[in-house]
Amino acid sequence: MRSASASEKASETGPSAPSATSSSATSGAPTTSSSGTVAPSGTVAPSGIGSVPTTAHPKTPFLPSLEGLRAIACSGIIITHVAFQTGTDTGSLINQIMARTDFFVPVFFALSGFLLWRRQHVQFRNRRGVASYYVKRLGRIMPAAWVMMLFVFLFLPVADNPSAKQIVENLLMAQVYFADGLVGGMTHLWSLSVELTFYLVLPLIALLIGKQPRWRRVLVIAALGLISYYWAFLPPFTGELEPGRVNPHTMPPAFAAWFAIGFLSAEAEAWVLGNPERSRRLVAALYRLRPLFWLIALAALVVAAMDGPQGLVQATPAEFARRTIYGTVFAAALITPYALAPRSAFLESAPMQALGRWSYAIFLWHIAILSVVFPLLGVPMFSGNHVHTVIVMIATFVLTVPVAALSYALVEEPARVGINKMWAKYTASTTASSAS
């Protein structure tokens, strides 16, 4: 799924913003501070825990560690899909844990919530700001997705001759709203459909609560997040999933809690940046305790793996609610510490930054590549063989990364820059016309 990159949200200050994921995004190329931590140029990282950058928008500093975290998240998504298609996602605890690495979906959702909500006070100040937001969001995610879709539709057997209706549903990212919307080679795009819905309603949420006091925003966000835990208990959704019925477990309200984690992390970050002295001990503690948060995330993963149905069996409302809780804990344990104490030499390393930069394209293409890997290697699907799982996983990574890099360089980034330039020209012309 497409989650807004950390650098993208830091640099989108207007139509002429620099490349969202270039090495000089917002505040310059990453440099190493005297304390040995990696920090964007123009920042000081005292005691290795980071500080407020001296950039044009100090309230939304570039957080390269989150870019690296996106690389880990998309790797987790590949693991769960390879495990499923090689038949090693059920049975042993290890198999069930591989199946539950789909919990990196809530990480992506929370990351999007964090990166977009932290700029809501700037982005949604007026109608032009809202229009600019929509243009940039759609320009960022749709061109690369459409290229991948067209390739699958035209050239890959896994698409299985979709109907015109299915093609339109997928091109519009509306597949979760139709019973037969998912198409082979693109079944994972249900999460992108959910994310697009979130993009569409975000300005409305900002309009309703964006100017409220922080304590009131936090209460409303938490209340909205609770929708997820009750969603599956609503009377229309409690029965078994019958043919021809839309799956309620992939509808956007089911994931409100995961986006809310991102919102609340953004509110916490705003408090930290606005109260550097009062928050210093908290930030230092989060930095020191980061390994503990990874253990909490792992524990949530293991508990979720042991709780509820395996494979594609439909979860009961209670099982779905518990799984949503586990996903919330998993996302909070990984996103919030890096949002408030963001320095990480590993996540900010050049390889992790590159993979994070390409993570959207990796996500887009990995299922299509996976469908090719099986015949290419002569490996049967659903064999239940762990050797096959390892071989297919390595091959999928090896083949997907260069395809993703090309997609980013030839489609995603040129489309983003081109659309932003066209929008800048349009807004400049309309401003000039209104002024005259």
Side-chain angles (χ1 to χ4, degrees):
M1 107 208 18
R2 169 63 188 167
S3 110
S5 71
S7 51
E8 174 185 338
K9 299 325 298 168
S11 64
E12 279 190 357
T13 59
S16 59
S19 168
T21 47
S22 67
S23 61
S24 60
T26 304
S27 55
T31 58
T32 305
S33 72
S34 58
S35 62
T37 61
V38 179
S41 300
T43 71
V44 179
S47 304
I49 60 173
S51 66
V52 183
T54 56
T55 62
H57 292 278
K59 293 294 184 181
T60 55
F62 170 45
L63 304 181
S65 59
L66 295 184
E67 192 89 308
L69 190 59
R70 293 172 69 227
I72 294 178
C74 71
S75 299
I77 299 299
I78 292 178
I79 290 172
T80 193
H81 288 149
V82 170
F84 169 71
Q85 295 203 22
T86 56
T88 55
D89 62 326
T90 60
S92 70
L93 180 59
I94 293 297
N95 288 9
Q96 294 178 64
I97 289 174
M98 285 194 293
R100 284 284 71 82
T101 59
D102 64 356
F103 270 8
F104 283 102
V105 170
V107 169
F108 271 123
F109 286 169
L111 189 56
S112 283
F114 169 73
L115 294 170
L116 294 174
W117 188 250
R118 70 202 294 250
R119 283 188 52 78
Q120 60 87 15
H121 62 286
V122 174
Q123 186 74 69
F124 306 127
R125 287 180 298 184
N126 50 47
R127 292 181 181 178
R128 178 164 293 180
V130 173
S132 178
Y133 158 81
Y134 281 134
V135 169
K136 290 180 179 180
R137 285 291 88 213
L138 295 176
R140 168 61 86 177
I141 67 172
M142 298 306 285
W146 284 336
V147 169
M148 183 278 296
M149 290 180 192
L150 290 175
F151 184 88
V152 173
F153 287 142
L154 294 174
F155 300 113
L156 294 188
V158 70
D160 195 25
N161 297 316
S163 66
K165 175 176 174 289
Q166 288 176 308
I167 292 174
V168 172
E169 290 165 359
N170 279 264
L171 290 174
L172 295 178
M173 291 294 181
Q175 54 268 61
V176 297
Y177 300 104
F178 298 91
D180 61 346
L182 300 183
V183 173
M186 295 176 284
T187 53
H188 61 308
L189 296 188
W190 70 265
S191 59
L192 199 56
S193 179
V194 170
E195 187 139 356
L196 184 62
T197 302
F198 162 69
Y199 292 160
L200 292 175
V201 302
L202 180 59
L204 177 60
I205 298 174
L207 175 65
L208 295 176
I209 68 171
K211 294 183 180 180
Q212 297 296 316
R214 179 176 292 121
W215 67 267
R216 190 171 295 169
R217 293 199 302 269
V218 168
L219 288 178
V220 173
I221 291 167
L224 290 174
L226 292 176
I227 294 173
S228 295
Y229 307 122
Y230 296 100
W231 179 254
F233 290 99
L234 295 177
F237 307 143
T238 54
E240 293 186 6
L241 185 62
E242 300 174 355
R245 180 185 171 194
V246 174
N247 186 358
H249 292 180
T250 58
M251 297 293 285
F255 310 104
W258 298 347
F259 287 107
I261 288 298
F263 280 39
L264 294 175
S265 297
E267 293 290 351
E269 183 205 31
W271 179 84
V272 166
L273 295 178
N275 300 273
E277 294 302 322
R278 294 171 60 189
S279 63
R280 186 175 298 275
R281 289 185 179 180
L282 171 64
V283 175
L286 288 172
Y287 186 82
R288 288 195 305 270
L289 296 175
R290 192 175 289 164
L292 175 61
F293 285 100
W294 278 95
L295 289 177
I296 292 172
L298 178 60
L301 197 69
V302 172
V303 172
M306 297 186 297
D307 186 13
Q310 301 180 36
L312 295 180
V313 177
Q314 180 83 356
T316 66
E319 289 168 340
F320 184 80
R322 292 198 301 272
R323 185 177 297 178
T324 302
I325 292 172
Y326 303 144
T328 303
V329 173
F330 186 85
L334 296 185
I335 293 298
T336 306
Y338 287 100
L340 304 185
R343 299 276 70 86
S344 171
F346 171 67
L347 293 179
E348 296 177 31
S349 64
M352 296 303 291
Q353 290 295 290
L355 290 173
R357 185 162 57 248
W358 302 330
S359 60
Y360 176 49
I362 292 173
F363 170 79
L364 284 178
W365 284 94
H366 79 276
I367 290 291
I369 298 296
L370 182 57
S371 73
V372 174
V373 165
F374 285 99
L376 188 65
L377 298 179
V379 173
M381 296 180 67
F382 306 108
S383 66
N385 188 315
H386 285 93
V387 174
H388 291 169
T389 300
V390 173
I391 294 173
V392 170
M393 193 174 300
I394 293 173
T396 302
F397 272 102
V398 169
L399 295 178
T400 301
V401 169
V403 171
L406 286 174
S407 176
Y408 175 83
L410 300 179
V411 181
E412 182 181 341
E413 186 64 1
R416 184 192 71 85
V417 172
I419 290 171
N420 283 357
K421 286 182 178 179
M422 287 190 292
W423 178 251
K425 290 180 179 178
Y426 171 76
T427 54
S429 64
T430 54
T431 300
S433 299
S434 61
S436 59

